[in-house]
Amino acid sequence: MSYIKLDYSKATPFFGNFEMGFLQDVISSIHTNLLKESEDKKGSLGWLHLPGTHKNEEYEKIKIEAAKVRGNSEILLVIGIGGSYLGTRAGIELLNHSFHNYLTQETRLSPQVFFVGTNLSSTYISDLIELLKGKDFSINVVSKSGSSLETAIGFRIFKKILADKYGEEEAKSRIYITTDYQKGTLKLAAIEEGYKTFGIPEDIGGRFSVLTSVGLFPMAVSGICIDKVLDGANTAKMELAQRDINRNPAYQYAAVRNILYNKGKTIEILASFEPKFHYFSEWWKQLFAESEGKEGMGIFPSAAMYSTDLHSIGQYIQEGRRDLFETVIQIEKSEKEITMGTEPKNLDGLNYLSGKTVSFINEKALLGTVDAHMNGGVPNLVIRVPDICPFSFGYLVYFFQFACVISSHILGVNPFNQPGVEAYKNSMYSLLRQPQKLSENSVTTQAITY
Ligand code: PA5
């Protein structure tokens, strides 16, 4: 029995059972190859063994420095993009209070966490600068390559603000760099300036890095128990080593999505009934899109938050083009509970729900939606997770990473590169390097120079 369960009974009406059996051997041999390849430590499979081998000096440093930031900062600013951002935000938003950043410091007991370097909006950056005024803060710059433009711009701006506020020396003590252990622009800057650094192992790429210092340091600053996150991932690693497809939910997930893909279900919606999953879905989208979407192939990953989206894209899902399937994350036990009472006048007609919890109603919404969508021609997979906690987060991260790599191999693509990302960068850089005419970029608002 695994910690999470995958129920694909609402997808089986769309394919034959023999198709799963056929993929058993294919997946098992992909698994064997992954284990073999991971032995040479030169590829991109470091994440496969990471949980369980993490209790090293670096891990202790993460905890010590996180405690310092919790003591001296009201805000931690995390600067990064893509795989150097999404998993961290997924963990922080899933595992903290839904309104973490809005609570008072006394209630929160940990710094607010804000993210920058995720876009090139001067309004967003300026608003964040305003928010920082009068607040003690530290910076964590995260970039494996050290060269993402969004991250570099964010760092340049906030480094100056930090130096203006604290002076060069104290500013340096409030800057944490997470980058490649050996190389890259950020690594060089860290050595030159004496910033504190955390390393990203060479054999772990951006979207597989949330369980390294990339995600662990900011999560620890925000008060999340990173030991439990890694315990969850480690349990997934052990459970998902199981070679029998009937007992391995990662094998099943990879198999079902590929069977459906081959039947024209080319869009997958990751749906949740818990708003805290919003950024988890964003992380999942990036994981699958960058790993599978290449060479003219791949399932297009999208996400929905229910019941919100049942009142918007729900219509399309029920009756639009039949090229979709859905993967629903079901949380079995809510963190908090509200019970419906009885109103003497029953003006809203809701007394039939008296004594029922909102989670109970949410669960019925989930079951009803899965049935309705399946009956409307949308295969449904349900991933059952006992509760929302650091252990579950670690487990789910490992589960999806592992399933994604297997799935990519079934499809026949390399999950660890992202050649398409270079296209926008190349055309953007060539535009940025063109000489600027005076009439261009005419500044209509007051601009500040950093
Ligand atoms: O998954 C990936 O490799 C990418 O999404 C990267 O994480 C993203 O492009 C950011 O790269 P870097 O960490 O080098 O700044």
Side-chain angles (χ1 to χ4, degrees):
M1 289 285 270
S2 52
Y3 178 72
I4 63 166
K5 313 272 171 302
L6 179 76
D7 176 0
Y8 57 95
S9 59
K10 299 277 174 4
T12 45
F14 298 85
F15 60 86
N17 244 341
F18 69 94
E19 294 179 79
M20 287 290 277
F22 172 70
L23 280 170
Q24 158 78 65
D25 290 345
V26 175
I27 294 177
S28 186
S29 89
I30 290 171
H31 193 171
T32 303
N33 289 340
L34 290 177
L35 293 175
K36 258 194 230 145
E37 276 172 42
S38 69
E39 276 165 21
D40 71 7
K41 296 194 182 339
K42 288 198 188 103
S44 306
L45 287 161
W47 55 272
L48 195 60
H49 300 295
L50 177 74
T53 60
H54 60 277
K55 290 204 168 133
N56 50 23
E57 224 176 279
E58 174 93 356
Y59 189 62
E60 290 314 310
K61 194 167 103 185
I62 287 172
K63 290 185 176 177
I64 292 166
E65 296 301 331
K68 276 191 205 157
V69 175
R70 286 165 66 82
N72 71 9
S73 301
E74 295 165 270
I75 292 178
L76 173 70
L77 214 55
V78 181
I79 311 181
I81 195 162
S84 292
Y85 154 65
L86 286 160
T88 306
R89 189 156 188 182
I92 286 178
E93 305 230 341
L94 183 68
L95 301 173
N96 283 306
H97 191 284
S98 299
F99 304 99
H100 177 82
N101 278 346
Y102 302 102
L103 297 175
T104 61
Q105 186 143 14
E106 295 71 47
T107 322
R108 235 186 307 111
L109 300 173
S110 59
Q112 293 169 301
V113 182
F114 290 103
F115 296 89
V116 68
T118 62
N119 57 58
L120 292 164
S121 159
S122 52
T123 304
Y124 180 94
I125 297 170
S126 304
D127 287 350
L128 189 56
I129 293 170
E130 280 177 27
L131 184 100
L132 285 174
K133 279 202 183 112
K135 300 268 174 63
D136 281 312
F137 71 102
S138 297
I139 289 177
N140 179 206
V141 190
V142 190
S143 176
K144 173 129 195 226
S145 63
S147 59
S148 291
L149 183 64
E150 294 87 340
T151 309
I153 288 176
F155 185 31
R156 178 179 279 211
I157 294 171
F158 288 96
K159 180 175 68 178
K160 178 162 190 315
I161 294 171
L162 206 56
D164 289 348
K165 183 176 171 78
Y166 295 105
E168 291 289 338
E169 281 318 301
E170 188 178 343
K172 282 182 190 173
S173 74
R174 287 174 173 271
I175 294 174
Y176 295 87
I177 306 285
T178 308
T179 192
D180 192 279
Y181 274 108
Q182 317 283 348
K183 55 182 192 295
T185 318
L186 264 181
K187 182 70 194 171
L188 290 176
I191 295 170
E192 173 80 23
E193 298 293 322
Y195 302 137
K196 281 173 259 190
T197 56
F198 300 114
I200 309 173
E202 202 183 353
D203 56 354
I204 301 186
R207 57 192 171 276
F208 293 86
S209 69
V210 54
L211 300 179
T212 70
S213 50
V214 167
L216 295 179
F217 176 62
M219 283 198 270
V221 171
S222 85
I224 294 166
C225 176
I226 56 173
D227 283 340
K228 293 203 174 121
V229 170
L230 289 166
D231 283 351
N234 201 27
T235 302
K237 181 176 96 175
M238 291 185 294
E239 289 185 356
L240 305 177
Q242 165 64 249
R243 295 303 183 105
D244 178 358
I245 196 165
N246 296 310
R247 298 172 66 194
N248 188 326
Y251 276 29
Q252 291 163 7
Y253 180 52
V256 174
R257 57 198 307 283
N258 277 277
I259 292 170
L260 294 172
Y261 175 67
N262 286 321
K263 294 186 187 303
K265 305 291 182 190
T266 54
I267 297 170
E268 178 177 10
I269 302 167
L270 185 73
S272 165
F273 284 70
E274 172 50 66
K276 283 174 146 199
F277 264 97
H278 175 75
Y279 272 95
F280 189 89
S281 303
E282 294 299 308
W283 168 80
W284 171 91
K285 266 163 50 181
Q286 189 228 2
L287 178 68
F288 279 89
E290 280 196 349
S291 302
E292 288 192 326
K294 50 197 72 158
E295 299 173 36
M297 291 188 283
I299 295 167
F300 182 79
S302 67
M305 189 53 63
Y306 296 151
S307 59
T308 314
D309 285 330
L310 293 172
H311 297 256
S312 69
I313 57 170
Q315 167 60 36
Y316 188 104
I317 296 168
Q318 191 66 46
E319 294 183 348
R321 279 169 60 100
R322 301 298 72 192
D323 50 4
L324 315 166
F325 69 98
E326 223 167 9
T327 299
V328 178
I329 296 186
Q330 178 177 15
I331 303 301
E332 290 178 320
K333 188 173 178 303
S334 176
E335 288 169 275
K336 296 179 182 170
E337 205 43 274
I338 291 173
T339 304
M340 299 296 288
T342 307
E343 270 193 3
K345 288 191 181 164
N346 193 24
L347 290 177
D348 53 13
L350 288 182
N351 277 356
Y352 76 101
L353 293 174
S354 297
K356 300 208 164 56
T357 63
V358 175
S359 301
F360 172 85
I361 302 166
N362 201 23
E363 190 199 343
K364 297 300 166 240
L366 183 151
L367 297 174
T369 304
V370 167
D371 273 343
H373 287 179
M374 185 197 70
N375 292 331
V378 178
N380 256 258
L381 292 86
V382 179
I383 296 176
R384 297 213 175 91
V385 183
D387 55 7
I388 293 181
C389 66
F391 187 95
S392 296
F393 174 73
Y395 193 108
L396 282 172
V397 164
Y398 193 93
F399 167 81
F400 280 119
Q401 287 179 347
F402 184 55
C404 175
V405 171
I406 291 177
S407 186
S408 306
H409 282 293
I410 301 175
L411 193 66
V413 296
N414 173 4
F416 301 118
N417 62 10
Q418 54 282 329
V421 178
E422 295 310 308
Y424 102 87
K425 287 189 189 167
N426 293 339
S427 49
M428 173 179 73
Y429 286 129
S430 85
L431 289 171
L432 285 172
R433 292 201 169 102
Q434 279 171 16
Q436 189 183 318
K437 293 185 211 109
L438 277 177
S439 59
E440 274 180 32
N441 192 25
S442 59
V443 178
T444 50
T445 46
Q446 201 191 346
I448 307 163
T449 304
Y450 289 95

